């Protein structure tokens, strides 16, 4: 088996993982959950932990030989041929402020490359699925990025202008932000779903972890877009957290040049 | 009649206005609508225009003597005793990028002060209603701001850090942003609804027009919070667009001091 067919068998489990995380999120959303602050200063709730634990149980039951890397409970056999990469709640800040833009991110990584990705918003019941070699879908319907030949016409998303380190990283983002038609903030990974559907043209972010970005790659590539690091290299488990997603390859090139330097 | 009773008779119309704007928004949301740029550089679509026109028709039919001030079609008899203030789509940028956080804003102004306010999100089917002298509701259920004694613990929303003019305005916002626990972006007026429900503590914005802020006041005040200009003055049709909303009056005071100057 090659391409999509080889990974289709894992899609059922990916859906079950998203279903079970969503059920837990809906139970806690807009209830007064207590919020702890982790060592990296990011917030975490019982909903994050329960959702990841439940997903890990399902993976262990279905594919005990697979590895798992999750935001809350770390890594387990990440040298296995297949590794599931989980973010039970991407956008915990949105979750705790009652804003239904957080998502569950689920990726299956094969030989270091993400081959299956799910972005799921459990309150709005929106689910994006991408499988290497196949067309990505939103709630079962094929989706496609839109054309945007010029960066001057682009809609850009970034979760926050504060996510970039002072210096070249922040300067690079600022150059992109000044070049686009419409910079938008507060996206979390929901923004990548919008890009895959043709409602945005660029997402530029930094300081992301593998569980934040691995799921996005198959969804965006399967919709005709690109998702790489800022230098245009494929995203891997050991990528450094600078993400550049674009619907149109011409905008990706323009953004890469702006991120790299003033010219 | 005094207080809420005096304004209850207008609530039915306010709901019908929100219903009819919502129907139009749902018809155009995530379809390829063309986007024009207005003289103030903000985007507008056929959905904004149709929704406002339909609401104006309903007001004219129900209360022909009332005034109307709307974002898209300007003002009509704004010296009348009662004036409806309409923003058919607050957050047009969210609307055109497929993000269901835009809202319809409807205010009834009596003698210069907002006495009835509706914030409606038509895709998520969330509706906040506030009437002077009564408890605010979300989808019919009473809501309440939360306590937050210290600004260091506050969750802050602002649509974009780029909405503040360079100089004292931007410096004031930056002082508030650095003082809070969690600054969040990309709210549009949905953020004021979250504040009224107790999921956020502060919204600080600038460059707003009366149709952006009048509807928020009864919703937030009726939930136990405050919504004023940056100097703590009541919001009126001729206020200058700097808005400070807080759930807890102690955080409002602390934010006002930070906005006013470095100490």
């Amino acid at each position: 088996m090659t391409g999509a067919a080889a990974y289709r068998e894992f899609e059922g489990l990916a859906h079950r993982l998203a279903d079970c995380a969503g059920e837990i999120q809906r139970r806690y959303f807009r209830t007064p959950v207590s919020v702890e602050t982790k060592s990296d200063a990011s917030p975490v709730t019982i909903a994050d932990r329960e959702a990841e634990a439940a997903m890990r149980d399902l993976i262990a039951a279905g594919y005990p030989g697979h590895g798992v890397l999750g935001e809350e409970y770390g890594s387990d056999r990440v040298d296995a041929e297949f590794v599931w990469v989980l973010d039970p709640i991407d956008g915990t800040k949105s979750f705790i402020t009652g804003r239904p833009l957080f998502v569950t991110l689920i990726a299956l990584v094969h030989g270091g490359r993400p081959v299956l990705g799910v972005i799921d918003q459990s309150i709005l019941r929106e689910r994006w699925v991408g499988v290497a070699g196949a067309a990505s879908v939103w709630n079962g319907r094929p989706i496609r990025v839109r054309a945007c030949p010029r960066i001057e016409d682009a809609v850009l998303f970034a979760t926050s202008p504060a996510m970039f380190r002072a210096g070249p990283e922040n300067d690079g983002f600022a150059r992109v932000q000044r070049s686009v038609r419409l910079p938008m903030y507060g996206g979390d990974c929901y923004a990548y779903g919008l890009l895959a559907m043709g409602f945005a043209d660029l997402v530029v972010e930094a300081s992301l972890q593998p569980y934040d970005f691995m799921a996005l790659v198959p969804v965006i590539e399967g919709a005709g877009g690109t998702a790489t690091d800022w230098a245009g290299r494929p995203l891997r488990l050991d990528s450094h957290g600078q993400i550049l997603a674009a619907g149109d390859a011409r905008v990706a090139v323009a953004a890469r040049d702006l991120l790299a330097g003033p010219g």
Side-chain angles (χ1 to χ4, degrees), chain A:
Chain A
M1 285 192 295
T2 57
Y7 305 115
R8 282 280 179 218
E9 77 156 288
F10 304 113
E11 235 190 295
L13 176 58
H15 278 286
R16 287 198 303 281
L17 297 179
D19 289 344
C20 112
E23 207 175 289
I24 291 164
Q25 291 159 359
R26 284 190 293 270
R27 203 160 70 227
Y28 287 110
F29 184 60
R30 292 193 181 171
T31 68
V33 293
S34 78
V35 179
E36 290 168 54
T37 302
K38 296 191 286 188
S39 58
D40 66 354
S42 72
V44 63
T45 71
I46 187 171
D48 301 73
R49 291 193 174 124
E50 266 190 34
E52 183 171 323
M55 288 194 286
R56 293 178 93 110
D57 286 349
L58 284 172
I59 294 166
Y63 297 98
H66 285 195
V68 183
L69 168 63
E71 170 161 22
E72 309 308 338
Y73 292 107
S75 54
D76 228 350
R77 288 184 306 282
V78 286
D79 53 349
E81 184 185 359
F82 288 99
V83 179
W84 294 86
V85 181
L86 309 173
D87 190 346
I89 300 183
D90 172 83
T92 301
K93 293 175 183 175
S94 282
F95 183 81
I96 61 178
T97 56
R99 197 161 65 158
L101 290 186
F102 62 89
V103 290
T104 307
L105 296 175
I106 299 162
L108 178 61
V109 173
H110 185 211
R113 285 281 293 154
V115 293
L116 191 163
V118 175
I119 305 172
D120 187 74
Q121 212 307 318
S122 61
I123 308 301
L124 312 182
R125 297 188 186 260
E126 295 190 82
R127 182 172 299 174
W128 290 262
V129 179
V131 180
S136 295
V137 295
W138 170 85
N139 287 359
R141 303 192 321 238
I143 51 173
R144 188 80 202 153
V145 297
R146 69 181 173 197
C148 179
R150 293 156 19 100
I151 195 165
E152 293 85 342
D153 297 320
V155 170
L156 163 74
F157 271 100
T159 294
S160 165
M163 76 194 314
F164 305 97
R165 283 167 298 190
E169 190 173 272
N170 190 61
D171 298 347
F173 175 75
R175 282 189 296 272
V176 173
Q177 184 261 309
R178 284 194 302 268
S179 303
V180 300
R181 176 168 62 86
L182 187 57
M184 300 280 288
Y185 298 107
D188 297 320
C189 286
Y190 191 81
Y192 296 88
L194 294 175
L195 181 141
M197 293 174 96
F199 295 110
D201 307 293
L202 259 181
V203 187
V204 176
E205 301 203 299
S207 314
L208 298 195
Q209 298 295 327
Y211 44 77
D212 295 318
F213 60 73
M214 288 304 251
L216 315 169
V217 179
V219 172
I220 292 171
E221 290 183 348
T226 64
T228 65
D229 72 9
W230 284 15
R233 291 175 300 226
L235 291 167
R236 304 183 60 94
L237 283 176
D238 58 355
S239 292
H240 284 97
Q242 294 179 325
I243 311 302
L244 165 60
D248 190 310
R250 291 164 288 189
V251 162
V253 169
R256 211 149 69 213
D257 288 347
L258 289 162
L259 290 168

